[in-house]
Amino acid sequence: MFDNLSQRLQVTLKRLRGQGRLTEENTREALREVRMALLEADVALPVVKDFIEHVRVKAAGQEVLASLTPGQALIKVVHDELVALMGAANEKLNLATRPPAVILVAGLQGSGKTTTVAKLARFLRERDNKSVMVVSADVYRPAAIEQLHKLAAAVGAEFFPSHPDQKPVDIARHAVEEARKRMMDVLIVDSAGRLHVDEPMMQEIRAVHAAIEPVETLFVVDSMTGQDAVNTARAFNEALPLTGVILTKTDGDARGGAALSIRQVTGKPIKFMGVGEKPAALEPFYPDRVAARILGMGDVLGLVEQA
Amino acid sequence: AATQRSFTRGLSDLLLGNRALDDTLFEELETLLLSADVGVETTRHLVSSITDQVSRKQLKDAPAVYGALRQGMLAILEPCDRRLTIAPERPFVIMVVGVNGVGKTTTIAKLANHLKNKGLTVTLAAADTFRAAAIEQLKTWAGRLDIPVIAQHTGADAAAVVHDAMNAAVARKADVLIVDTAGRQHTQEGLMDELRKIRRVINKTRPDAPHEVLLVLDAGTGQNALSQLKHFREAVGVTGLALTKLDGTAKGGILLAMARQTGLPIRFIGVGEGMDDLREFNAAEYVDALLPAP
Ligand SMILES: Nc1nc2c(ncn2[C@@H]2O[C@H](COP(=O)(O)OP(=O)(O)OP(=O)(O)O)[C@@H](O)[C@H]2O)c(=O)[nH]1
Ligand SMILES: Nc1nc2c(ncn2[C@@H]2O[C@H](COP(=O)(O)OP(=O)(O)OP(=O)(O)O)[C@@H](O)[C@H]2O)c(=O)[nH]1
Ligand SMILES: [Mg+2]
Ligand SMILES: [Mg+2]
């Protein structure tokens, strides 16, 4: 599945052998294949257009290194651009503040927020030795609070109880007070899933944000998302001062083009990716791995050698 | 609403003016379809059918192009516009499957409500024994709907729960049994085996069951939905589709690609988080939403 583009490109690129530099003509067909691959990987159309244009300009007239064929050179340009656009490797959480450092997660329904809260709590406890409290401000989804309660127990985080009769803003505010009183290092606030076009719900999350002033506001997004990723990411980014993105469910076979769309639209770093349902299944985000995946290439350097 | 607006604006620009039927127009059509997640292949199919008709002089102006595009979509979707009918077998067993977080449990609550309103008695089986509080979530819904749930505890064998639920549904003479299953990535063979086992357990109690295997898909999902469909179909023989979260701006255009590849019935769409937010799929309405009349 990941070899789609590499196979297709081999054919087009063979024709580029023995040519000294990349030109409009000799890259046109190959770029068409790249465009298709990006669309099939769910990169949003406007982002694809910009990207192809960018690569065209970058590639045109480029001298090909003695060690590379023009085909190899083009793949390298495409890959390097993708990695560059996806942001620097592995941007960490920034929790430098007077404790408790508050983290707020937000996103569409079912994207993986509650699970991610537990994963982050575990990560910060086990790796950084932080004391972590979690709280659910989801008063809508049946058993959402109970879900976080169970997950908190599983990862050994403190759980601040809340109730569906309460207001999310009050829950969040009380949790901050309690975390401060108990001198917790970190408080992670889970929120209900919401649609970016649901004005009252977007207003609610803005109010929660204003009440607790988190140091990290993370947008949790499903890696299977299609073209709509640009609309949702833009809306959340406008409603909240996001500090980062977490890409979930990358353990499936989605090519994850939404990662590029979201990165382009928000300009915010993707900090982690979810790689499974269990609390330990969280990894730092590596742009080069995701770039290779979006391009449908397992091993880009291997391909460069073959081209 | 944002896409809705730009989509509609795009279309009216496209089809109201005295537009030439040229490459720019075809490219705009392509853009509209690709942006709705229709996918490269099905978009090509639809657009090339239009360009063929134009070159055969069968379409004279932009409004005719619009009509032809609509027709092309309907031709793909109408064969899939087949409602779920509850056959006389009792209990009528519906097994609900899908990847993580698409809306299975909520769709079950909506479906139970829909069937209950038709005068049928419904029992639920809580066979998601994996996710934290999945059982409580289903029980909360069942409480609101005042219908029974057969459940054990988190970590229990899902197939054993389903076995109990089949017996209970038979004993109570329930009209319908709906089985909630844990979300899983279709690429995980071990988890897909568990689904096969659940299906076998249902089948052992009633050789004609499950009567429906409903695959739930999220309208926000892109091309990966095709892979989901393929794997779930191979594992447990999907017989119907439900598309959730159409109340957002996602168009769920991937349905067109799925319909074209498989012709599987599309049963329901989800348009909200409440128990009344389920609609029976209607091809014409869906095409209208995807391609609002200028
Ligand atoms: N395979 C996989 N599943 C995940 C991952 N992250 C979350 N999930 C699953 O996705 C589903 C939804 O996760 P939740 O954490 O409940 O999502 P949510 O965003 O809190 O959902 P709402 O609160 O309803 O909006 C659950 O089945 C999780 O187990 C991941 O990285 N990989
Ligand atoms: N806006 C909207 N949200 C929905 C719809 N259907 C379900 N949801 C929400 O999506 C989230 C996930 O729904 P669930 O029913 O828990 O999904 P699931 O597939 O059972 O999840 P897992 O069991 O964890 O795999 C919840 O927040 C639901 O309220 C819908 O049609 N529209
Ligand atoms: Mg949640
Ligand atoms: Mg569920």
Side-chain angles (χ1 to χ4, degrees):
Chain A
M1 159 139 244
F2 281 171
D3 295 327
N4 273 348
L5 181 66
S6 33
Q7 280 161 8
R8 287 209 310 247
L9 276 181
Q10 308 255 327
V11 181
T12 8
L13 292 179
K14 284 227 168 76
R15 281 182 232 136
L16 295 189
R17 260 179 216 218
Q19 302 184 25
R21 59 168 63 224
L22 297 174
T23 65
E24 284 267 349
E25 288 79 66
N26 67 17
T27 56
R28 187 177 297 131
E29 210 175 319
L31 281 177
R32 212 173 291 141
E33 296 289 348
V34 173
R35 175 178 183 271
M36 287 259 294
L38 293 175
L39 285 169
E40 280 170 2
D42 293 319
V43 179
L45 192 57
V47 177
V48 172
K49 283 185 175 157
D50 284 357
F51 181 80
I52 295 292
E53 197 40 47
H54 207 79
V55 169
R56 192 195 314 280
V57 171
K58 257 248 145 83
Q62 185 159 317
E63 288 290 341
V64 175
L65 291 174
S67 58
L68 296 180
T69 66
Q72 291 170 327
L74 181 66
I75 291 206
K76 203 169 155 354
V77 173
V78 169
H79 177 257
D80 291 352
E81 275 310 294
L82 208 49
V83 174
L85 287 180
M86 211 88 75
N90 204 347
E91 264 195 63
K92 297 195 170 59
L93 290 177
N94 176 13
L95 302 180
T97 181
R98 198 163 64 92
V102 179
I103 303 175
L104 174 65
V105 301
L108 295 179
Q109 285 94 346
S111 59
K113 295 174 294 300
T114 307
T115 310
T116 301
V117 166
K119 289 176 178 177
L120 285 172
R122 181 186 176 279
F123 181 88
L124 292 170
R125 271 173 51 79
E126 307 221 330
R127 251 209 28 176
D128 301 343
N129 247 326
K130 304 263 192 205
S131 57
V132 182
M133 180 184 271
V134 299
V135 63
S136 170
D138 182 353
V139 297
Y140 309 100
R141 171 169 168 175
I145 298 171
E146 189 54 26
Q147 183 187 359
L148 187 63
H149 191 176
K150 292 193 164 178
L151 289 170
V155 300
E158 292 295 321
F159 175 73
F160 183 77
S162 51
H163 193 274
D165 292 343
Q166 291 173 284
K167 285 208 195 98
V169 172
D170 294 338
I171 293 172
R173 204 181 273 130
H174 291 151
V176 174
E177 280 164 25
E178 182 70 10
R180 184 168 297 133
K181 215 180 297 167
R182 294 184 35 199
M183 304 205 288
M184 305 299 298
D185 297 322
V186 181
L187 170 71
I188 314 179
V189 181
D190 188 16
S191 68
R194 66 200 71 222
L195 289 172
H196 55 297
V197 287
D198 185 337
E199 252 322 303
M201 288 297 283
M202 292 308 279
Q203 181 51 41
E204 181 200 271
I205 192 82
R206 274 195 295 268
V208 168
H209 184 277
I212 59 178
E213 298 181 345
V215 283
E216 287 278 359
T217 303
L218 302 170
F219 181 52
V220 178
V221 63
D222 187 324
S223 60
M224 294 176 274
T225 311
Q227 298 284 321
D228 199 41
V230 281
N231 302 316
T232 57
R234 186 174 296 125
F236 272 91
N237 193 47
E238 280 166 8
L240 293 170
L242 300 178
T243 57
V245 176
I246 298 186
L247 193 66
T248 63
K249 311 181 198 174
T250 63
D251 45 318
D253 62 353
R255 299 267 295 279
L260 183 63
S261 309
I262 291 161
R263 167 73 200 179
Q264 278 300 89
V265 163
T266 65
K268 303 293 160 62
I270 302 173
K271 295 194 169 172
F272 290 97
M273 33 190 221
V275 295
E277 296 189 68
K278 302 220 171 83
L282 184 73
E283 288 180 6
F285 179 77
Y286 294 106
D288 52 342
R289 266 201 256 161
V290 175
R293 183 169 172 153
I294 290 175
L295 284 173
M297 299 190 284
D299 176 6
V300 176
L301 290 181
L303 182 67
V304 167
E305 271 147 32
Q306 293 162 32
Chain B
T3 11
Q4 178 91 27
R5 265 199 308 279
S6 57
F7 205 79
T8 323
R9 195 183 327 113
L11 270 179
S12 39
D13 286 356
L14 202 59
L15 299 172
L16 284 183
N18 279 334
R19 298 252 342 229
L21 307 188
D22 56 10
D23 281 352
T24 327
L25 179 117
F26 302 139
E27 208 169 286
E28 281 174 38
L29 285 184
E30 188 188 86
T31 301
L32 291 172
L33 295 171
L34 288 173
S35 308
D37 289 315
V38 172
V40 173
E41 213 184 297
T42 304
T43 295
R44 277 201 181 152
H45 164 81
L46 285 166
V47 174
S48 71
S49 143
I50 300 278
T51 51
D52 285 355
Q53 293 177 65
V54 168
S55 59
R56 277 188 261 117
K57 311 253 187 266
Q58 288 163 335
L59 303 173
K60 298 205 161 52
D61 53 15
V65 165
Y66 172 82
L69 181 58
R70 222 178 154 276
Q71 274 313 310
M73 289 172 148
L74 277 175
I76 294 173
L77 288 172
E78 258 166 357
C80 303
D81 191 339
R82 280 175 284 157
R83 295 200 165 166
L84 176 66
T85 48
I86 306 299
E89 292 86 3
R90 291 295 177 264
F92 185 90
V93 183
I94 304 172
M95 180 175 167
V96 178
V97 301
V99 298
N100 310 85
V102 287
K104 293 175 292 301
T105 307
T106 311
T107 300
I108 287 169
K110 296 174 187 174
L111 180 55
N113 184 45
H114 169 84
L115 295 172
K116 199 183 151 206
N117 289 340
K118 287 188 166 176
L120 296 163
T121 57
V122 183
T123 294
L124 305 180
D128 179 355
T129 56
F130 178 78
R131 212 205 66 214
I135 298 170
E136 287 82 350
Q137 184 188 4
L138 192 68
K139 279 186 172 169
T140 306
W141 278 117
R144 288 182 193 171
L145 290 160
D146 195 24
I147 58 175
V149 194
I150 308 304
Q152 292 181 15
H153 53 86
T154 305
D157 176 20
V161 174
V162 173
H163 178 79
D164 284 1
M166 284 297 292
N167 289 337
V170 171
R172 290 162 195 224
K173 301 195 166 55
D175 293 323
V176 182
L177 174 70
I178 312 180
V179 179
D180 188 15
T181 63
R184 66 201 74 218
Q185 291 299 314
H186 48 287
T187 45
Q188 304 234 320
E189 260 316 301
L191 296 179
M192 295 307 274
D193 271 342
E194 185 199 67
L195 271 192
R196 290 187 186 95
K197 192 168 156 202
I198 290 175
R199 197 197 149 93
R200 274 200 303 276
V201 166
I202 295 172
N203 194 244
K204 226 177 209 163
T205 319
R206 287 227 44 147
D208 56 340
H211 304 91
E212 174 84 347
V213 179
L214 190 68
L215 175 67
V216 180
L217 301 150
D218 184 326
T221 307
Q223 304 307 302
N224 190 247
L226 293 174
S227 179
Q228 295 169 25
L229 176 57
K230 176 173 182 285
H231 285 87
F232 278 102
R233 217 176 162 208
E234 280 165 11
V236 286
V238 171
T239 56
L241 308 176
L243 190 71
T244 62
K245 311 186 195 175
L246 271 172
D247 44 327
T249 51
K251 296 288 178 187
I254 194 67
L255 267 191
L256 279 158
M258 291 199 235
R260 217 174 131 236
Q261 277 187 10
T262 68
L264 273 172
I266 305 164
R267 308 292 197 187
F268 299 100
I269 59 168
V271 292
E273 298 184 77
M275 62 187 176
D276 295 318
D277 296 326
L278 188 74
R279 306 278 179 273
E280 278 176 321
F281 178 74
N282 177 303
E285 276 172 27
Y286 180 78
V287 169
D288 285 343
L290 205 80
L291 209 64

